[in-house]
Coordinates of all heavy atoms in Angstrom, one line a residue:
M1 N -6.8 45.5 -33.0 CA -7.5 44.2 -32.8 C -7.7 43.6 -34.2 O -7.5 42.4 -34.4 CB -8.8 44.4 -32.1 CG -9.5 43.2 -31.8 SD -8.6 42.2 -30.6 CE -9.8 40.9 -30.3
L2 N -8.1 44.4 -35.2 CA -8.3 43.9 -36.5 C -7.0 43.3 -37.1 O -7.0 42.3 -37.8 CB -8.9 45.0 -37.4 CG -9.2 44.6 -38.9 CD1 -10.2 43.4 -38.9 CD2 -9.7 45.8 -39.6
A3 N -5.9 44.0 -36.9 CA -4.6 43.6 -37.5 C -4.2 42.3 -36.9 O -3.7 41.4 -37.6 CB -3.6 44.7 -37.2
V4 N -4.5 42.1 -35.6 CA -4.1 40.8 -35.0 C -5.0 39.7 -35.5 O -4.5 38.6 -35.8 CB -4.3 40.9 -33.4 CG1 -4.1 39.5 -32.8 CG2 -3.3 41.9 -32.9
L5 N -6.3 39.9 -35.7 CA -7.1 38.9 -36.3 C -6.7 38.6 -37.7 O -6.7 37.4 -38.1 CB -8.6 39.4 -36.3 CG -9.2 39.4 -34.9 CD1 -10.6 40.0 -34.9 CD2 -9.3 38.0 -34.3
L6 N -6.4 39.6 -38.5 CA -6.0 39.3 -39.9 C -4.7 38.6 -39.9 O -4.5 37.6 -40.7 CB -5.8 40.6 -40.6 CG -7.1 41.3 -41.1 CD1 -6.8 42.7 -41.7 CD2 -7.9 40.4 -42.1
Y7 N -3.7 38.9 -39.1 CA -2.4 38.2 -39.0 C -2.6 36.7 -38.7 O -2.1 35.9 -39.4 CB -1.5 38.8 -38.0 CG -0.3 38.0 -37.8 CD1 0.8 38.1 -38.7 CD2 -0.1 37.2 -36.7 CE1 1.9 37.4 -38.5 CE2 1.0 36.4 -36.5 CZ 2.0 36.5 -37.4 OH 3.2 35.8 -37.3
F8 N -3.4 36.4 -37.7 CA -3.6 35.0 -37.4 C -4.4 34.3 -38.4 O -4.2 33.1 -38.7 CB -4.2 34.8 -36.0 CG -3.2 35.1 -34.9 CD1 -3.3 36.2 -34.1 CD2 -2.2 34.2 -34.7 CE1 -2.4 36.4 -33.1 CE2 -1.2 34.4 -33.7 CZ -1.3 35.5 -32.9
G9 N -5.4 34.9 -39.0 CA -6.2 34.3 -40.0 C -5.4 34.0 -41.3 O -5.5 32.9 -41.8
I10 N -4.5 34.9 -41.7 CA -3.7 34.7 -42.8 C -2.6 33.6 -42.6 O -2.3 32.8 -43.4 CB -3.0 36.0 -43.3 CG1 -4.1 36.9 -43.9 CG2 -1.9 35.8 -44.3 CD1 -3.7 38.3 -44.2
S11 N -2.0 33.7 -41.4 CA -1.0 32.7 -41.1 C -1.5 31.3 -40.9 O -0.8 30.3 -41.1 CB -0.2 33.1 -39.8 OG -1.0 33.1 -38.7
F12 N -2.8 31.2 -40.6 CA -3.5 29.9 -40.5 C -3.8 29.3 -41.9 O -3.8 28.1 -42.1 CB -4.8 30.0 -39.7 CG -5.6 28.8 -39.6 CD1 -5.1 27.7 -38.8 CD2 -6.7 28.6 -40.3 CE1 -5.9 26.5 -38.7 CE2 -7.5 27.4 -40.2 CZ -7.0 26.4 -39.4
A13 N -4.1 30.2 -42.8 CA -4.5 29.8 -44.1 C -3.4 29.7 -45.2 O -3.5 28.9 -46.2 CB -5.6 30.7 -44.6
V14 N -2.4 30.5 -45.0 CA -1.3 30.6 -46.1 C 0.0 30.4 -45.4 O 0.3 30.9 -44.3 CB -1.4 31.9 -46.8 CG1 -0.3 32.0 -47.8 CG2 -2.8 32.1 -47.4
Q15 N 0.9 29.7 -46.1 CA 2.3 29.5 -45.7 C 3.3 29.8 -46.8 O 3.1 29.3 -47.9 CB 2.5 28.1 -45.2 CG 3.9 27.8 -44.7 CD 4.1 26.3 -44.4 OE1 3.1 25.5 -44.5 NE2 5.2 26.0 -43.9
A16 N 4.3 30.6 -46.5 CA 5.4 30.9 -47.5 C 6.4 29.8 -47.4 O 6.9 29.6 -46.3 CB 6.0 32.3 -47.3
V17 N 6.8 29.1 -48.5 CA 7.7 28.0 -48.5 C 8.8 28.3 -49.4 O 8.6 28.5 -50.6 CB 7.0 26.7 -48.8 CG1 8.0 25.5 -48.8 CG2 5.8 26.4 -48.0
P18 N 10.1 28.3 -49.0 CA 11.2 28.6 -49.9 C 11.6 27.3 -50.7 O 11.4 26.2 -50.2 CB 12.3 29.0 -49.0 CG 12.0 28.3 -47.7 CD 10.5 28.3 -47.6
V19 N 12.0 27.5 -51.9 CA 12.4 26.4 -52.7 C 14.0 26.3 -52.6 O 14.7 27.2 -52.8 CB 12.1 26.6 -54.2 CG1 12.6 25.5 -55.1 CG2 10.6 26.7 -54.4
E20 N 14.4 25.1 -52.2 CA 15.9 24.9 -52.0 C 16.3 23.8 -53.0 O 15.8 22.7 -52.9 CB 16.1 24.4 -50.5 CG 15.8 25.5 -49.5 CD 15.9 25.0 -48.1 OE1 16.3 23.8 -47.9 OE2 15.7 25.8 -47.2
G21 N 17.2 24.1 -53.8 CA 17.8 23.2 -54.8 C 17.2 23.4 -56.2 O 16.3 24.2 -56.4
L22 N 17.8 22.7 -57.1 CA 17.4 22.8 -58.5 C 16.7 21.6 -59.1 O 16.7 21.4 -60.3 CB 18.7 23.1 -59.3 CG 19.4 24.4 -59.0 CD1 20.7 24.5 -59.7 CD2 18.5 25.6 -59.3
S23 N 16.1 20.8 -58.2 CA 15.5 19.6 -58.7 C 14.2 19.8 -59.6 O 13.9 19.0 -60.4 CB 15.1 18.6 -57.6 OG 14.2 19.3 -56.7
M24 N 13.6 21.0 -59.4 CA 12.5 21.4 -60.3 C 12.8 22.6 -61.1 O 12.0 23.5 -61.3 CB 11.3 21.7 -59.4 CG 10.8 20.5 -58.6 SD 9.3 20.8 -57.7 CE 8.2 21.3 -59.1
W25 N 14.0 22.5 -61.7 CA 14.6 23.7 -62.5 C 13.6 24.2 -63.5 O 13.5 25.4 -63.7 CB 15.9 23.3 -63.1 CG 16.5 24.3 -63.9 CD1 17.0 25.5 -63.5 CD2 16.5 24.4 -65.3 NE1 17.4 26.3 -64.6 CE2 17.1 25.6 -65.7 CE3 16.0 23.5 -66.3 CZ2 17.2 25.9 -67.0 CZ3 16.2 23.9 -67.6 CH2 16.8 25.1 -68.0
A26 N 13.0 23.4 -64.3 CA 12.1 23.9 -65.4 C 10.9 24.7 -64.9 O 10.4 25.6 -65.5 CB 11.7 22.8 -66.3
T27 N 10.5 24.4 -63.7 CA 9.3 25.1 -63.1 C 9.7 26.1 -62.0 O 9.1 27.2 -62.0 CB 8.3 24.0 -62.5 OG1 8.0 23.0 -63.5 CG2 7.1 24.6 -62.0
L28 N 10.5 25.7 -61.1 CA 10.9 26.5 -60.0 C 12.4 26.7 -59.9 O 13.1 25.7 -60.1 CB 10.4 25.9 -58.7 CG 8.9 25.6 -58.6 CD1 8.6 24.8 -57.3 CD2 8.1 26.9 -58.5
D29 N 12.9 27.8 -59.6 CA 14.3 28.1 -59.4 C 14.7 28.0 -57.9 O 13.8 28.1 -57.0 CB 14.7 29.4 -60.0 CG 14.6 29.5 -61.5 OD1 14.9 28.4 -62.1 OD2 14.3 30.5 -62.0
D30 N 16.0 27.9 -57.7 CA 16.5 27.9 -56.3 C 16.2 29.3 -55.7 O 16.3 30.3 -56.3 CB 18.0 27.6 -56.3 CG 18.5 27.3 -54.9 OD1 17.8 26.9 -54.1 OD2 19.7 27.6 -54.7
N31 N 15.8 29.3 -54.4 CA 15.4 30.4 -53.6 C 14.2 31.1 -54.0 O 13.9 32.3 -53.6 CB 16.6 31.4 -53.6 CG 17.8 30.9 -52.9 OD1 17.7 30.1 -52.0 ND2 19.0 31.2 -53.5
D32 N 13.3 30.5 -54.8 CA 12.0 31.0 -55.1 C 11.1 30.8 -53.8 O 11.4 29.9 -53.0 CB 11.3 30.3 -56.2 CG 11.8 30.8 -57.6 OD1 12.5 31.8 -57.6 OD2 11.4 30.1 -58.6
Y33 N 10.0 31.5 -53.7 CA 9.1 31.3 -52.6 C 7.7 30.9 -53.2 O 7.3 31.5 -54.2 CB 8.9 32.5 -51.8 CG 10.0 32.7 -50.7 CD1 11.2 33.3 -51.0 CD2 9.8 32.2 -49.4 CE1 12.2 33.4 -50.0 CE2 10.8 32.3 -48.5 CZ 11.9 32.9 -48.8 OH 12.9 33.0 -47.8
L34 N 7.1 29.9 -52.6 CA 5.7 29.5 -52.9 C 4.8 29.9 -51.8 O 5.2 29.9 -50.6 CB 5.7 28.0 -53.1 CG 6.6 27.4 -54.2 CD1 6.4 25.9 -54.1 CD2 6.2 27.9 -55.5
L35 N 3.6 30.3 -52.2 CA 2.5 30.5 -51.2 C 1.6 29.2 -51.2 O 0.9 29.0 -52.1 CB 1.7 31.7 -51.5 CG 2.5 33.0 -51.3 CD1 1.6 34.2 -51.7 CD2 2.9 33.2 -49.9
A36 N 1.6 28.5 -50.1 CA 0.9 27.3 -50.0 C -0.5 27.6 -49.3 O -0.5 28.2 -48.2 CB 1.6 26.3 -49.2
H37 N -1.6 27.2 -49.9 CA -2.9 27.3 -49.3 C -3.2 26.1 -48.5 O -3.4 25.0 -49.0 CB -3.9 27.5 -50.4 CG -3.7 28.6 -51.3 ND1 -4.2 29.9 -51.1 CD2 -3.0 28.7 -52.5 CE1 -3.8 30.7 -52.0 NE2 -3.1 30.0 -52.9
K38 N -3.1 26.3 -47.2 CA -3.2 25.1 -46.3 C -4.6 24.6 -46.2 O -4.8 23.4 -46.2 CB -2.8 25.6 -44.8 CG -1.4 26.0 -44.7 CD -1.1 26.2 -43.2 CE 0.0 27.2 -43.0 NZ 0.2 27.5 -41.6
I39 N -5.6 25.4 -46.2 CA -7.0 24.9 -46.1 C -7.5 24.3 -47.4 O -8.1 23.2 -47.4 CB -7.9 26.1 -45.7 CG1 -7.5 26.6 -44.3 CG2 -9.4 25.7 -45.7 CD1 -8.2 27.9 -43.9
D40 N -7.2 24.9 -48.5 CA -7.6 24.4 -49.8 C -7.1 23.0 -50.1 O -7.8 22.1 -50.6 CB -7.2 25.3 -50.9 CG -7.9 24.9 -52.3 OD1 -9.1 24.7 -52.3 OD2 -7.1 24.9 -53.3
S41 N -5.8 22.7 -49.7 CA -5.2 21.4 -49.9 C -5.9 20.3 -49.1 O -5.8 19.1 -49.4 CB -3.7 21.4 -49.6 OG -3.5 21.7 -48.3
R42 N -6.5 20.7 -48.0 CA -7.2 19.7 -47.2 C -8.6 19.4 -47.6 O -9.2 18.4 -47.4 CB -7.2 20.1 -45.7 CG -5.9 20.0 -45.0 CD -6.0 20.5 -43.6 NE -4.9 20.4 -42.7 CZ -3.6 20.5 -42.9 NH1 -3.2 20.6 -44.1 NH2 -2.7 20.5 -42.0
L43 N -9.2 20.4 -48.3 CA -10.6 20.2 -48.8 C -10.8 19.6 -50.1 O -11.8 19.0 -50.4 CB -11.3 21.6 -48.8 CG -11.4 22.3 -47.4 CD1 -12.0 23.7 -47.6 CD2 -12.2 21.5 -46.4
H44 N -9.8 19.8 -51.0 CA -9.9 19.3 -52.4 C -8.8 18.4 -52.8 O -7.7 18.6 -52.3 CB -10.0 20.5 -53.4 CG -11.1 21.5 -53.0 ND1 -12.4 21.3 -53.2 CD2 -11.0 22.8 -52.5 CE1 -13.1 22.3 -52.8 NE2 -12.2 23.2 -52.3
A45 N -9.1 17.5 -53.7 CA -8.0 16.7 -54.3 C -7.1 17.6 -55.2 O -7.6 18.5 -55.8 CB -8.6 15.5 -55.1
P46 N -5.8 17.2 -55.3 CA -4.9 18.0 -56.2 C -5.4 17.9 -57.7 O -5.8 16.8 -58.1 CB -3.6 17.4 -55.9 CG -3.8 16.2 -55.2 CD -5.1 16.2 -54.6
Q47 N -5.2 19.0 -58.4 CA -5.5 19.0 -59.8 C -4.3 18.7 -60.6 O -3.2 18.7 -60.1 CB -6.1 20.4 -60.2 CG -7.3 20.8 -59.5 CD -8.5 19.9 -59.8 OE1 -8.7 19.6 -61.0 NE2 -9.3 19.5 -58.8
H48 N -4.5 18.4 -61.9 CA -3.3 18.2 -62.8 C -2.4 19.4 -62.8 O -2.9 20.5 -63.0 CB -3.8 17.8 -64.2 CG -2.7 17.6 -65.2 ND1 -2.0 16.5 -65.1 CD2 -2.3 18.4 -66.2 CE1 -1.1 16.5 -66.1 NE2 -1.3 17.7 -66.8
G49 N -1.1 19.2 -62.6 CA -0.2 20.3 -62.7 C 0.0 21.0 -61.3 O 0.7 22.0 -61.2
A50 N -0.7 20.6 -60.3 CA -0.5 21.2 -59.0 C 0.8 20.8 -58.4 O 1.4 19.8 -58.7 CB -1.6 20.7 -58.1
I51 N 1.3 21.7 -57.6 CA 2.6 21.5 -56.9 C 2.2 21.1 -55.4 O 1.5 21.8 -54.7 CB 3.4 22.8 -56.9 CG1 3.8 23.1 -58.3 CG2 4.7 22.6 -56.0 CD1 4.6 24.4 -58.4
L52 N 2.7 19.9 -55.0 CA 2.4 19.4 -53.7 C 3.6 19.5 -52.8 O 4.7 19.5 -53.2 CB 2.0 17.9 -53.8 CG 0.9 17.5 -54.8 CD1 0.7 16.1 -54.8 CD2 -0.4 18.2 -54.3
M53 N 3.3 19.7 -51.5 CA 4.4 19.9 -50.5 C 4.1 18.9 -49.3 O 3.7 19.4 -48.3 CB 4.4 21.3 -50.0 CG 4.9 22.3 -51.1 SD 5.0 23.9 -50.6 CE 3.4 24.4 -50.4
P54 N 4.4 17.6 -49.5 CA 4.2 16.7 -48.4 C 5.3 16.8 -47.4 O 6.4 17.3 -47.7 CB 4.2 15.3 -49.1 CG 5.0 15.6 -50.2 CD 4.8 17.0 -50.7
R55 N 5.0 16.4 -46.2 CA 6.0 16.4 -45.1 C 6.7 15.0 -45.1 O 6.0 14.0 -45.3 CB 5.4 16.6 -43.8 CG 4.9 18.0 -43.6 CD 4.5 18.3 -42.2 NE 3.9 19.6 -42.1 CZ 4.6 20.7 -41.8 NH1 5.9 20.6 -41.5 NH2 4.0 21.9 -41.7
P56 N 8.0 14.9 -45.0 CA 8.7 13.6 -44.9 C 8.2 12.9 -43.6 O 8.0 13.5 -42.6 CB 10.2 13.9 -44.9 CG 10.3 15.4 -44.6 CD 8.9 16.0 -44.9
P57 N 8.1 11.5 -43.7 CA 7.6 10.8 -42.6 C 8.4 10.8 -41.3 O 7.9 10.7 -40.2 CB 7.4 9.4 -43.1 CG 8.2 9.3 -44.3 CD 8.4 10.7 -44.8
L58 N 9.7 10.9 -41.5 CA 10.6 10.9 -40.3 C 11.0 12.2 -39.8 O 11.4 12.4 -38.6 CB 11.9 10.1 -40.6 CG 11.6 8.6 -41.1 CD1 12.9 8.0 -41.5 CD2 10.9 7.9 -40.0
D59 N 10.9 13.3 -40.6 CA 11.3 14.6 -40.1 C 10.2 15.6 -40.6 O 10.2 16.1 -41.7 CB 12.7 15.0 -40.8 CG 13.1 16.4 -40.3 OD1 12.6 16.9 -39.3 OD2 14.1 16.9 -40.9
E60 N 9.3 16.0 -39.7 CA 8.2 16.9 -40.0 C 8.6 18.3 -39.9 O 7.7 19.2 -40.0 CB 7.0 16.5 -39.2 CG 6.5 15.2 -39.4 CD 5.1 14.9 -38.8 OE1 4.6 15.9 -38.2 OE2 4.7 13.8 -38.8
S61 N 9.9 18.6 -39.7 CA 10.2 20.0 -39.6 C 10.4 20.7 -40.9 O 10.5 21.9 -41.0 CB 11.5 20.2 -38.8 OG 12.6 19.6 -39.5
E62 N 10.5 20.0 -42.0 CA 10.7 20.6 -43.4 C 9.7 19.9 -44.3 O 9.2 18.9 -44.1 CB 12.1 20.5 -43.9 CG 12.5 19.1 -44.1 CD 13.9 19.0 -44.7 OE1 14.9 19.2 -43.9 OE2 14.1 18.8 -45.9
D63 N 9.4 20.7 -45.4 CA 8.5 20.2 -46.4 C 9.2 19.8 -47.7 O 10.3 20.4 -48.0 CB 7.5 21.3 -46.8 CG 6.6 21.7 -45.7 OD1 6.1 20.7 -45.0 OD2 6.3 22.8 -45.5
F64 N 8.7 18.8 -48.4 CA 9.2 18.5 -49.7 C 8.3 19.1 -50.7 O 7.1 19.3 -50.5 CB 9.2 17.0 -50.0 CG 10.2 16.2 -49.3 CD1 10.0 14.9 -48.9 CD2 11.5 16.7 -49.0 CE1 11.0 14.1 -48.3 CE2 12.5 16.0 -48.4 CZ 12.2 14.7 -48.0
I65 N 8.8 19.4 -51.9 CA 8.0 20.1 -53.0 C 8.0 19.1 -54.1 O 9.0 18.7 -54.6 CB 8.5 21.4 -53.4 CG1 8.5 22.4 -52.1 CG2 7.7 22.0 -54.5 CD1 9.1 23.7 -52.4
Q66 N 6.8 18.7 -54.6 CA 6.7 17.8 -55.7 C 5.7 18.4 -56.7 O 4.7 19.0 -56.4 CB 6.1 16.4 -55.2 CG 7.0 15.7 -54.3 CD 6.3 14.4 -53.8 OE1 5.1 14.2 -53.9 NE2 7.1 13.6 -53.2
A67 N 6.0 18.1 -58.0 CA 5.0 18.6 -59.0 C 4.4 17.4 -59.7 O 4.9 16.3 -59.7 CB 5.7 19.4 -60.0

């Protein structure tokens, strides 16, 4: 029971996002993975140097990564 609660709690709060492409080459490489904090991004404004992952307006199935 504890394992199920931890799994759903972690999957609700954190998301692993792969980096596709070399557009952020100096910071991120192709096929890197980022851990996105879903709750923190909704509660606080982004800080200087933060990496943002907005969803495109027409296709919400993938995320964009911006620095």
